[in-house]
Amino acid sequence: GQQVMQIPQYQHVQEGEDFTTYCNSSTTLSNIQWYKQRPGGHPVFLIQLVKSGEVKKQKRLTFQFGEAKKNSSLHITATQTTDVGTYFCAGINQAGTALIFGKGTTLSVSS
Amino acid sequence: DTEVTQTPKHLVMGMTNKKSLKCEQHMGHRAMYWYKQKAKKPPELMFVYSYEKLSINESVPSRFSPECPNSSLLNLHLHALQPEDSALYLCASSQGTGLNTGELFFGEGSRLTVL
């Protein structure tokens, strides 16, 4: 069945360092979404990428969608303690009926 | 109003109890979802309602029974649960469905403990 994989599972950085999480799908995705879940919180939508090769920026966050629409990445420049949490990518399943989440990357930041 | 409201926030129940989780949204969204999330795991899809009709049941045991009384409300009825069912239950809604799902708006979740 369709799988959405994310690496790394965990990442610890010093405040000010950069961070990247990668998402790979076994099948072509119609679009990909990214969510952030703070510790003890609920997933919050960050962005949706639709076009092949698309790049979008939100302040220190840069999102990319691969040319083949099978992979994506989220890059955070100069991390801050407020960036702590788990970042999930999510893609529509093969049946085109619902959003399936990757396993997530948990980011911790020390000051 | 861009909120999805879930009640209760916390629930402790015995294996013989019957309880319900409730979810409400007033954004006019056409799809509503139940996800289950265990600690350090991603949200796992349970049910999808589209236009108040159950469109997806991800092979969820019958001890979980969803209900969509109207386009704003979604319930999850719980009966004869097992301790391994303890988890955070997340409700979500979206304007679109299927390939046009778009952004999911999540509630804060109901944290369930089964004793």
Side-chain angles (χ1 to χ4, degrees):
Chain A
Q2 178 186 19
Q3 293 185 40
V4 177
M5 295 156 286
Q6 267 186 269
I7 55 170
Q9 188 175 358
Y10 299 99
Q11 181 83 58
H12 177 79
V13 299
Q14 294 288 322
E15 191 172 23
E17 292 181 337
D18 292 356
F19 160 77
T20 305
T21 173
Y22 300 91
C23 182
N24 290 285
S25 171
S26 55
T27 59
T28 301
L29 299 167
S30 58
N31 59 63
I32 195 157
Q33 297 181 11
W34 286 90
Y35 290 79
K36 177 183 178 181
Q37 186 172 18
R38 294 180 186 272
H42 59 281
V44 175
F45 175 83
L46 294 176
I47 209 159
Q48 176 171 284
L49 304 172
V50 178
K51 298 177 183 175
S52 168
E54 190 170 13
V55 178
K56 286 189 177 179
K57 293 191 176 185
Q58 289 178 350
K59 297 183 181 178
R60 294 179 294 105
L61 278 60
T62 302
F63 303 85
Q64 292 190 335
F65 201 9
E67 293 290 341
K69 300 183 75 173
K70 295 178 76 171
N71 59 75
S72 181
S73 65
L74 158 58
H75 179 82
I76 302 178
T77 304
T79 54
Q80 300 175 358
T81 55
T82 52
D83 295 324
V84 163
T86 301
Y87 294 85
F88 294 102
C89 64
I92 299 293
N93 63 5
Q94 276 188 298
T97 50
L99 203 62
I100 304 299
F101 284 77
K103 292 192 184 301
T105 296
T106 297
L107 173 65
S108 59
V109 180
S110 53
S111 56
Chain B
D1 185 359
T2 57
E3 283 190 348
V4 175
T5 305
Q6 288 188 244
T7 56
K9 287 190 174 8
H10 299 275
L11 177 63
V12 179
M13 60 187 290
M15 288 189 284
T16 58
N17 291 158
K18 281 186 181 181
K19 296 286 185 183
S20 297
L21 305 180
K22 296 185 183 300
C23 176
E24 190 169 3
Q25 58 89 13
H26 294 289
M27 295 177 278
H29 286 177
R30 303 165 183 175
M32 295 187 75
Y33 310 80
W34 281 114
Y35 282 86
K36 173 183 177 181
Q37 188 176 31
K38 302 280 272 186
K40 301 187 189 301
K41 297 291 185 184
E44 181 183 330
L45 183 65
M46 299 175 72
F47 301 105
V48 181
Y49 272 83
S50 179
Y51 295 91
E52 303 171 45
K53 287 187 168 44
L54 182 64
S55 61
I56 294 180
N57 175 341
E58 290 286 326
S59 302
V60 179
S62 59
R63 57 186 185 268
F64 295 91
S65 175
E67 178 197 18
C68 188
N70 60 55
S71 60
S72 300
L73 295 174
L74 186 65
N75 299 323
L76 186 62
H77 302 299
L78 315 171
H79 174 54
L81 295 194
Q82 304 296 312
E84 58 265 29
D85 296 321
S86 299
L88 180 67
Y89 288 84
L90 292 161
C91 174
S93 69
S94 64
Q95 175 61 41
T97 60
L99 291 175
N100 298 312
T101 293
E103 175 181 353
L104 288 191
F105 291 79
F106 282 89
E108 294 184 352
S110 293
R111 189 163 297 281
L112 173 67
T113 303
V114 182
L115 300 176

Short mmCIF file of all heavy atoms in Angstrom, two decimals, chain A residues 51-105:
data_model
loop_
_atom_site.label_atom_id
_atom_site.label_comp_id
_atom_site.label_asym_id
_atom_site.label_seq_id
_atom_site.Cartn_x
_atom_site.Cartn_y
_atom_site.Cartn_z
N LYS A 51 2.26 21.99 -7.16
CA LYS A 51 2.93 21.90 -8.47
C LYS A 51 4.29 21.22 -8.37
O LYS A 51 5.02 21.39 -7.39
CB LYS A 51 3.12 23.30 -9.04
CG LYS A 51 1.83 24.04 -9.31
CD LYS A 51 2.12 25.45 -9.81
CE LYS A 51 0.84 26.22 -10.01
NZ LYS A 51 1.11 27.63 -10.38
N SER A 52 4.63 20.49 -9.39
CA SER A 52 5.94 19.85 -9.50
C SER A 52 7.04 20.91 -9.37
O SER A 52 6.99 21.94 -10.05
CB SER A 52 6.03 19.15 -10.86
OG SER A 52 7.33 18.75 -11.14
N GLY A 53 8.01 20.65 -8.50
CA GLY A 53 9.13 21.57 -8.33
C GLY A 53 8.82 22.83 -7.55
O GLY A 53 9.65 23.72 -7.43
N GLU A 54 7.62 22.90 -6.98
CA GLU A 54 7.20 24.12 -6.27
C GLU A 54 8.05 24.38 -5.05
O GLU A 54 8.43 23.46 -4.33
CB GLU A 54 5.73 23.98 -5.88
CG GLU A 54 5.10 25.26 -5.35
CD GLU A 54 3.58 25.13 -5.19
OE1 GLU A 54 3.06 24.01 -5.26
OE2 GLU A 54 2.93 26.17 -5.01
N VAL A 55 8.35 25.66 -4.82
CA VAL A 55 9.06 26.11 -3.62
C VAL A 55 8.26 27.24 -3.00
O VAL A 55 7.88 28.19 -3.69
CB VAL A 55 10.48 26.61 -3.94
CG1 VAL A 55 11.16 27.11 -2.67
CG2 VAL A 55 11.31 25.51 -4.59
N LYS A 56 7.99 27.11 -1.71
CA LYS A 56 7.27 28.18 -1.00
C LYS A 56 8.01 28.53 0.27
O LYS A 56 8.61 27.66 0.90
CB LYS A 56 5.84 27.74 -0.65
CG LYS A 56 4.89 27.70 -1.82
CD LYS A 56 3.47 27.48 -1.34
CE LYS A 56 2.48 27.52 -2.48
NZ LYS A 56 1.08 27.29 -2.02
N LYS A 57 7.96 29.79 0.64
CA LYS A 57 8.64 30.25 1.86
C LYS A 57 7.66 30.91 2.80
O LYS A 57 6.74 31.62 2.38
CB LYS A 57 9.76 31.23 1.50
CG LYS A 57 10.91 30.60 0.75
CD LYS A 57 12.11 31.54 0.66
CE LYS A 57 13.27 30.83 -0.03
NZ LYS A 57 14.50 31.63 -0.04
N GLN A 58 7.87 30.63 4.08
CA GLN A 58 7.13 31.31 5.14
C GLN A 58 8.18 31.75 6.15
O GLN A 58 8.63 30.96 6.97
CB GLN A 58 6.14 30.38 5.83
CG GLN A 58 4.95 29.98 5.02
CD GLN A 58 4.04 29.02 5.78
OE1 GLN A 58 4.38 28.51 6.84
NE2 GLN A 58 2.86 28.75 5.21
N LYS A 59 8.60 33.00 6.07
CA LYS A 59 9.61 33.53 6.98
C LYS A 59 10.85 32.63 6.95
O LYS A 59 11.54 32.54 5.95
CB LYS A 59 9.06 33.68 8.39
CG LYS A 59 7.90 34.67 8.46
CD LYS A 59 7.42 34.87 9.88
CE LYS A 59 6.25 35.85 9.90
NZ LYS A 59 5.71 36.04 11.28
N ARG A 60 11.18 31.94 8.02
CA ARG A 60 12.39 31.11 8.06
C ARG A 60 12.16 29.69 7.54
O ARG A 60 13.08 28.88 7.51
CB ARG A 60 12.90 31.03 9.51
CG ARG A 60 13.39 32.37 10.07
CD ARG A 60 13.85 32.23 11.52
NE ARG A 60 12.73 31.90 12.41
CZ ARG A 60 12.53 30.70 12.91
NH1 ARG A 60 13.36 29.70 12.65
NH2 ARG A 60 11.48 30.47 13.70
N LEU A 61 10.93 29.37 7.12
CA LEU A 61 10.60 28.03 6.65
C LEU A 61 10.55 28.02 5.13
O LEU A 61 9.92 28.88 4.51
CB LEU A 61 9.25 27.58 7.21
CG LEU A 61 9.18 27.00 8.61
CD1 LEU A 61 9.68 27.97 9.67
CD2 LEU A 61 7.80 26.50 8.94
N THR A 62 11.21 27.02 4.52
CA THR A 62 11.19 26.83 3.07
C THR A 62 10.69 25.43 2.78
O THR A 62 11.24 24.45 3.30
CB THR A 62 12.58 27.04 2.45
OG1 THR A 62 13.05 28.35 2.76
CG2 THR A 62 12.52 26.86 0.94
N PHE A 63 9.68 25.34 1.94
CA PHE A 63 9.06 24.07 1.58
C PHE A 63 9.32 23.81 0.10
O PHE A 63 9.20 24.72 -0.73
CB PHE A 63 7.55 24.12 1.81
CG PHE A 63 7.15 24.46 3.22
CD1 PHE A 63 7.06 25.79 3.62
CD2 PHE A 63 6.85 23.47 4.13
CE1 PHE A 63 6.68 26.11 4.90
CE2 PHE A 63 6.47 23.79 5.43
CZ PHE A 63 6.39 25.11 5.81
N GLN A 64 9.66 22.54 -0.22
CA GLN A 64 9.88 22.17 -1.61
C GLN A 64 9.08 20.93 -1.95
O GLN A 64 8.94 20.03 -1.12
CB GLN A 64 11.37 21.90 -1.86
CG GLN A 64 12.25 23.13 -1.77
CD GLN A 64 13.67 22.85 -2.26
OE1 GLN A 64 14.13 21.71 -2.23
NE2 GLN A 64 14.36 23.87 -2.71
N PHE A 65 8.61 20.85 -3.18
CA PHE A 65 7.94 19.67 -3.71
C PHE A 65 8.78 19.18 -4.89
O PHE A 65 9.13 19.97 -5.77
CB PHE A 65 6.54 20.05 -4.19
CG PHE A 65 5.57 18.91 -4.30
CD1 PHE A 65 5.86 17.64 -3.82
CD2 PHE A 65 4.33 19.11 -4.90
CE1 PHE A 65 4.95 16.60 -3.90
CE2 PHE A 65 3.41 18.07 -4.99
CZ PHE A 65 3.72 16.82 -4.49
N GLY A 66 9.13 17.92 -4.89
CA GLY A 66 10.02 17.38 -5.89
C GLY A 66 9.44 17.42 -7.29
O GLY A 66 8.22 17.47 -7.48
N GLU A 67 10.33 17.34 -8.27
CA GLU A 67 9.91 17.39 -9.67
C GLU A 67 8.99 16.23 -10.02
O GLU A 67 8.06 16.38 -10.82
CB GLU A 67 11.15 17.36 -10.58
CG GLU A 67 12.04 18.59 -10.50
CD GLU A 67 11.39 19.83 -11.10
OE1 GLU A 67 10.44 19.68 -11.90
OE2 GLU A 67 11.82 20.95 -10.78
N ALA A 68 9.25 15.07 -9.44
CA ALA A 68 8.43 13.89 -9.71
C ALA A 68 7.21 13.81 -8.81
O ALA A 68 6.43 12.86 -8.90
CB ALA A 68 9.28 12.63 -9.56
N LYS A 69 7.05 14.79 -7.92
CA LYS A 69 5.93 14.83 -6.98
C LYS A 69 5.88 13.57 -6.11
O LYS A 69 4.81 13.06 -5.78
CB LYS A 69 4.60 15.06 -7.70
CG LYS A 69 4.56 16.37 -8.49
CD LYS A 69 3.22 16.64 -9.15
CE LYS A 69 2.19 17.08 -8.16
NZ LYS A 69 0.92 17.51 -8.82
N LYS A 70 7.07 13.08 -5.74
CA LYS A 70 7.13 11.92 -4.85
C LYS A 70 7.92 12.24 -3.59
O LYS A 70 8.03 11.41 -2.70
CB LYS A 70 7.77 10.73 -5.56
CG LYS A 70 6.94 10.20 -6.73
CD LYS A 70 7.62 9.05 -7.44
CE LYS A 70 7.51 7.76 -6.66
NZ LYS A 70 7.98 6.60 -7.46
N ASN A 71 8.48 13.46 -3.52
CA ASN A 71 9.21 13.82 -2.31
C ASN A 71 9.06 15.30 -2.03
O ASN A 71 8.73 16.10 -2.91
CB ASN A 71 10.68 13.43 -2.41
CG ASN A 71 11.35 14.11 -3.59
OD1 ASN A 71 11.64 15.29 -3.54
ND2 ASN A 71 11.58 13.37 -4.64
N SER A 72 9.32 15.63 -0.77
CA SER A 72 9.18 17.01 -0.32
C SER A 72 10.14 17.24 0.83
O SER A 72 10.60 16.29 1.48
CB SER A 72 7.73 17.29 0.11
OG SER A 72 7.57 18.62 0.53
N SER A 73 10.43 18.51 1.08
CA SER A 73 11.29 18.84 2.21
C SER A 73 10.83 20.12 2.88
O SER A 73 10.18 20.97 2.25
CB SER A 73 12.75 18.97 1.78
OG SER A 73 12.91 20.07 0.90
N LEU A 74 11.15 20.22 4.15
CA LEU A 74 10.90 21.43 4.94
C LEU A 74 12.24 21.83 5.55
O LEU A 74 12.87 21.01 6.24
CB LEU A 74 9.87 21.14 6.03
CG LEU A 74 9.84 22.08 7.25
CD1 LEU A 74 9.62 23.52 6.86
CD2 LEU A 74 8.79 21.61 8.24
N HIS A 75 12.67 23.04 5.30
CA HIS A 75 13.93 23.54 5.82
C HIS A 75 13.65 24.74 6.70
O HIS A 75 12.92 25.66 6.30
CB HIS A 75 14.86 23.93 4.66
CG HIS A 75 16.17 24.48 5.10
ND1 HIS A 75 17.23 23.68 5.47
CD2 HIS A 75 16.60 25.76 5.24
CE1 HIS A 75 18.26 24.44 5.82
NE2 HIS A 75 17.90 25.71 5.68
N ILE A 76 14.21 24.73 7.90
CA ILE A 76 14.10 25.87 8.80
C ILE A 76 15.48 26.50 8.96
O ILE A 76 16.45 25.81 9.34
CB ILE A 76 13.54 25.46 10.18
CG1 ILE A 76 12.18 24.79 10.03
CG2 ILE A 76 13.43 26.69 11.09
CD1 ILE A 76 11.57 24.31 11.35
N THR A 77 15.56 27.76 8.68
CA THR A 77 16.82 28.50 8.82
C THR A 77 16.90 29.11 10.22
O THR A 77 15.91 29.65 10.71
CB THR A 77 16.88 29.62 7.77
OG1 THR A 77 16.73 29.05 6.47
CG2 THR A 77 18.19 30.38 7.85
N ALA A 78 18.06 28.98 10.84
CA ALA A 78 18.31 29.62 12.14
C ALA A 78 17.20 29.30 13.14
O ALA A 78 16.41 30.17 13.51
CB ALA A 78 18.48 31.13 11.98
N THR A 79 17.15 28.04 13.54
CA THR A 79 16.07 27.58 14.41
C THR A 79 15.99 28.41 15.70
O THR A 79 16.99 28.94 16.21
CB THR A 79 16.25 26.11 14.80
OG1 THR A 79 17.56 25.95 15.37
CG2 THR A 79 16.08 25.20 13.61
N GLN A 80 14.76 28.47 16.21
CA GLN A 80 14.48 29.12 17.50
C GLN A 80 13.78 28.11 18.39
O GLN A 80 13.24 27.10 17.91
CB GLN A 80 13.61 30.36 17.27
CG GLN A 80 14.24 31.40 16.38
CD GLN A 80 13.30 32.56 16.07
OE1 GLN A 80 12.15 32.58 16.50
NE2 GLN A 80 13.81 33.54 15.32
N THR A 81 13.76 28.39 19.68
CA THR A 81 13.11 27.44 20.61
C THR A 81 11.64 27.28 20.31
O THR A 81 11.04 26.25 20.61
CB THR A 81 13.32 27.89 22.07
OG1 THR A 81 12.86 29.23 22.22
CG2 THR A 81 14.80 27.82 22.46
N THR A 82 11.04 28.28 19.67
CA THR A 82 9.62 28.19 19.31
C THR A 82 9.37 27.21 18.16
O THR A 82 8.21 26.88 17.86
CB THR A 82 9.08 29.56 18.90
OG1 THR A 82 9.95 30.12 17.89
CG2 THR A 82 9.03 30.51 20.09
N ASP A 83 10.44 26.75 17.52
CA ASP A 83 10.29 25.78 16.42
C ASP A 83 10.14 24.35 16.93
O ASP A 83 9.86 23.43 16.15
CB ASP A 83 11.49 25.84 15.48
CG ASP A 83 11.61 27.17 14.77
OD1 ASP A 83 10.56 27.75 14.43
OD2 ASP A 83 12.75 27.65 14.56
N VAL A 84 10.29 24.15 18.24
CA VAL A 84 10.19 22.81 18.82
C VAL A 84 8.84 22.19 18.51
O VAL A 84 7.80 22.85 18.59
CB VAL A 84 10.42 22.88 20.34
CG1 VAL A 84 9.92 21.64 21.02
CG2 VAL A 84 11.87 23.14 20.66
N GLY A 85 8.86 20.91 18.15
CA GLY A 85 7.62 20.19 17.88
C GLY A 85 7.87 19.08 16.89
O GLY A 85 9.01 18.79 16.53
N THR A 86 6.78 18.45 16.46
CA THR A 86 6.87 17.39 15.45
C THR A 86 6.29 17.90 14.15
O THR A 86 5.18 18.44 14.13
CB THR A 86 6.13 16.13 15.93
OG1 THR A 86 6.72 15.67 17.15
CG2 THR A 86 6.24 15.03 14.89
N TYR A 87 7.03 17.73 13.09
CA TYR A 87 6.63 18.18 11.76
C TYR A 87 6.21 16.96 10.93
O TYR A 87 6.97 16.02 10.76
CB TYR A 87 7.77 18.93 11.08
CG TYR A 87 8.09 20.23 11.77
CD1 TYR A 87 8.95 20.25 12.88
CD2 TYR A 87 7.50 21.43 11.37
CE1 TYR A 87 9.23 21.45 13.54
CE2 TYR A 87 7.78 22.62 12.02
CZ TYR A 87 8.63 22.62 13.10
OH TYR A 87 8.90 23.79 13.76
N PHE A 88 4.97 17.00 10.46
CA PHE A 88 4.42 15.90 9.66
C PHE A 88 4.20 16.37 8.22
O PHE A 88 3.66 17.46 8.01
CB PHE A 88 3.06 15.45 10.20
CG PHE A 88 3.08 14.82 11.56
CD1 PHE A 88 2.70 15.53 12.68
CD2 PHE A 88 3.45 13.48 11.71
CE1 PHE A 88 2.70 14.95 13.94
CE2 PHE A 88 3.45 12.89 12.98
CZ PHE A 88 3.08 13.62 14.08
N CYS A 89 4.57 15.51 7.28
CA CYS A 89 4.08 15.71 5.93
C CYS A 89 2.85 14.81 5.77
O CYS A 89 2.70 13.82 6.49
CB CYS A 89 5.14 15.39 4.89
SG CYS A 89 5.68 13.67 4.85
N ALA A 90 2.00 15.14 4.82
CA ALA A 90 0.78 14.37 4.62
C ALA A 90 0.38 14.44 3.16
O ALA A 90 0.46 15.50 2.54
CB ALA A 90 -0.35 14.89 5.50
N GLY A 91 -0.03 13.28 2.63
CA GLY A 91 -0.46 13.23 1.25
C GLY A 91 -1.78 12.51 1.11
O GLY A 91 -2.14 11.69 1.97
N ILE A 92 -2.48 12.80 0.05
CA ILE A 92 -3.75 12.13 -0.21
C ILE A 92 -3.46 10.67 -0.58
O ILE A 92 -2.54 10.39 -1.36
CB ILE A 92 -4.52 12.81 -1.36
CG1 ILE A 92 -4.84 14.25 -0.98
CG2 ILE A 92 -5.79 12.05 -1.68
CD1 ILE A 92 -5.81 14.40 0.15
N ASN A 93 -4.24 9.75 -0.04
CA ASN A 93 -4.00 8.33 -0.30
C ASN A 93 -4.32 7.98 -1.75
O ASN A 93 -4.87 8.78 -2.51
CB ASN A 93 -4.81 7.45 0.66
CG ASN A 93 -6.32 7.63 0.49
OD1 ASN A 93 -6.77 8.35 -0.40
ND2 ASN A 93 -7.09 6.98 1.33
N GLN A 94 -3.93 6.78 -2.13
CA GLN A 94 -4.05 6.34 -3.54
C GLN A 94 -5.48 6.37 -4.04
O GLN A 94 -5.73 6.62 -5.22
CB GLN A 94 -3.48 4.93 -3.69
CG GLN A 94 -1.99 4.91 -3.87
CD GLN A 94 -1.46 3.53 -4.21
OE1 GLN A 94 -1.59 2.59 -3.45
NE2 GLN A 94 -0.88 3.40 -5.39
N ALA A 95 -6.42 6.10 -3.12
CA ALA A 95 -7.83 6.12 -3.53
C ALA A 95 -8.33 7.54 -3.72
O ALA A 95 -9.43 7.74 -4.24
CB ALA A 95 -8.69 5.40 -2.48
N GLY A 96 -7.51 8.51 -3.31
CA GLY A 96 -7.91 9.91 -3.45
C GLY A 96 -8.99 10.32 -2.49
O GLY A 96 -9.76 11.24 -2.77
N THR A 97 -9.05 9.65 -1.35
CA THR A 97 -10.17 9.87 -0.45
C THR A 97 -9.80 10.55 0.86
O THR A 97 -10.67 11.16 1.48
CB THR A 97 -10.85 8.54 -0.11
OG1 THR A 97 -9.84 7.60 0.31
CG2 THR A 97 -11.57 7.98 -1.32
N ALA A 98 -8.57 10.45 1.31
CA ALA A 98 -8.25 11.01 2.62
C ALA A 98 -6.76 11.27 2.74
O ALA A 98 -5.94 10.77 1.97
CB ALA A 98 -8.70 10.07 3.73
N LEU A 99 -6.44 12.10 3.76
CA LEU A 99 -5.06 12.52 4.00
C LEU A 99 -4.36 11.51 4.90
O LEU A 99 -4.88 11.17 5.97
CB LEU A 99 -5.10 13.89 4.66
CG LEU A 99 -3.87 14.77 4.55
CD1 LEU A 99 -3.59 15.12 3.10
CD2 LEU A 99 -4.07 16.03 5.37
N ILE A 100 -3.20 11.06 4.47
CA ILE A 100 -2.41 10.10 5.23
C ILE A 100 -1.12 10.80 5.68
O ILE A 100 -0.45 11.44 4.88
CB ILE A 100 -2.06 8.87 4.39
CG1 ILE A 100 -3.34 8.23 3.85
CG2 ILE A 100 -1.26 7.87 5.21
CD1 ILE A 100 -4.29 7.75 4.91
N PHE A 101 -0.78 10.65 6.96
CA PHE A 101 0.36 11.33 7.53
C PHE A 101 1.62 10.48 7.50
O PHE A 101 1.57 9.26 7.70
CB PHE A 101 0.06 11.71 8.98
CG PHE A 101 -0.85 12.89 9.12
CD1 PHE A 101 -2.21 12.75 8.91
CD2 PHE A 101 -0.35 14.13 9.44
CE1 PHE A 101 -3.06 13.85 9.00
CE2 PHE A 101 -1.18 15.22 9.55
CZ PHE A 101 -2.54 15.09 9.33
N GLY A 102 2.74 11.14 7.25
CA GLY A 102 4.04 10.52 7.46
C GLY A 102 4.30 10.34 8.94
O GLY A 102 3.54 10.84 9.78
N LYS A 103 5.39 9.65 9.29
CA LYS A 103 5.67 9.33 10.70
C LYS A 103 6.13 10.55 11.49
O LYS A 103 6.12 10.51 12.71
CB LYS A 103 6.70 8.21 10.79
CG LYS A 103 6.16 6.88 10.29
CD LYS A 103 7.08 5.74 10.65
CE LYS A 103 6.61 4.42 10.08
NZ LYS A 103 5.26 4.07 10.55
N GLY A 104 6.54 11.61 10.82
CA GLY A 104 6.90 12.83 11.52
C GLY A 104 8.37 12.90 11.88
O GLY A 104 9.06 11.88 12.03
N THR A 105 8.86 14.12 12.01
CA THR A 105 10.20 14.39 12.52
C THR A 105 10.04 15.29 13.74
O THR A 105 9.44 16.36 13.65
CB THR A 105 11.08 15.12 11.49
OG1 THR A 105 11.27 14.27 10.36
CG2 THR A 105 12.42 15.49 12.10
#
